[in-house]
Amino acid sequence: MTSRPTWDQYFMTITREVAERSTCLRAKVGAVMARDRSILATGYNGSPSGMPHCLDVGCLVYESTTPTGDIEQNCFRTIHAEINAIAQAARNGTRIEGADIYVTHTPCIHCFKVLINTGISRVFFWKPYKLETIKELQDHSGVELIQVEFD
């Protein structure tokens, strides 16, 4: 008897493949929104449609300081995978309230805030990323964060 991936592993495998379309030089991130075992939308990090990509013209990295004094680096060119998935759903008229999202990395604080407001109920992730920055939002929002394990 062969083993089958769980539904969460199945969607995370697709998420990891979506990330391969990323045009970001710093991290390949993918996102898949699903409900009732069906994919609603996908996204990966990269430039807006029709704009130059970091792969082709380089990154536009800037630094900012968080309230705790940590220095963060972000790119002006890049839209995060979660936001691109939300945009794809909106463009196609797909309702995402109550859906789950699978992301290769836990969302940044900005994406997590947007996911809360879209009504996403659970965030499945493969790799943890700055979990401490979204802890308070998670505690107050009730959005579940679930790590998907692979063999």
Side-chain angles (χ1 to χ4, degrees):
M1 183 170 231
T2 61
S3 66
R4 293 174 70 191
T6 66
W7 282 104
D8 295 334
Q9 290 169 332
Y10 168 77
F11 285 120
M12 189 58 70
T13 299
I14 295 168
T15 302
R16 289 165 50 180
E17 193 63 30
V18 168
E20 291 301 311
R21 290 278 307 151
S22 170
T23 60
C24 178
L25 296 170
R26 299 180 327 133
K28 289 182 175 285
V29 180
V32 171
M33 293 183 163
R35 184 187 310 109
D36 300 327
R37 299 181 180 166
S38 294
I39 294 173
L40 304 174
T42 66
Y44 52 86
N45 57 331
S47 299
S49 297
M51 301 298 292
H53 294 286
C54 295
L55 280 174
D56 301 322
V57 295
C59 297
L60 285 175
V61 175
Y62 67 94
E63 289 187 349
S64 59
T65 306
T66 69
T68 60
D70 293 330
I71 303 294
E72 287 196 341
Q73 291 186 334
N74 290 290
C75 180
F76 276 115
R77 263 190 237 295
T78 300
I79 299 173
H80 290 188
E82 301 92 329
I83 302 303
N84 271 326
I86 292 166
Q88 183 184 82
R91 188 173 52 248
N92 294 325
T94 304
R95 186 168 178 250
I96 58 173
E97 184 178 9
D100 296 327
I101 189 167
Y102 293 81
V103 194
T104 53
H105 302 70
T106 46
C108 72
I109 191 167
H110 305 293
C111 288
F112 196 69
K113 290 185 285 188
V114 174
L115 291 170
I116 291 167
N117 277 2
T118 61
I120 292 293
S121 56
R122 297 183 300 181
V123 175
F124 292 87
F125 66 95
W126 177 37
K127 295 179 181 179
Y129 173 76
K130 297 184 180 184
L131 284 169
E132 68 283 354
T133 63
I134 59 174
K135 175 88 172 93
E136 183 179 0
L137 287 170
Q138 181 194 5
D139 290 345
H140 290 285
S141 69
V143 174
E144 289 182 74
L145 281 174
I146 304 160
Q147 188 166 15
V148 177
E149 302 287 334
F150 284 91
D151 294 332

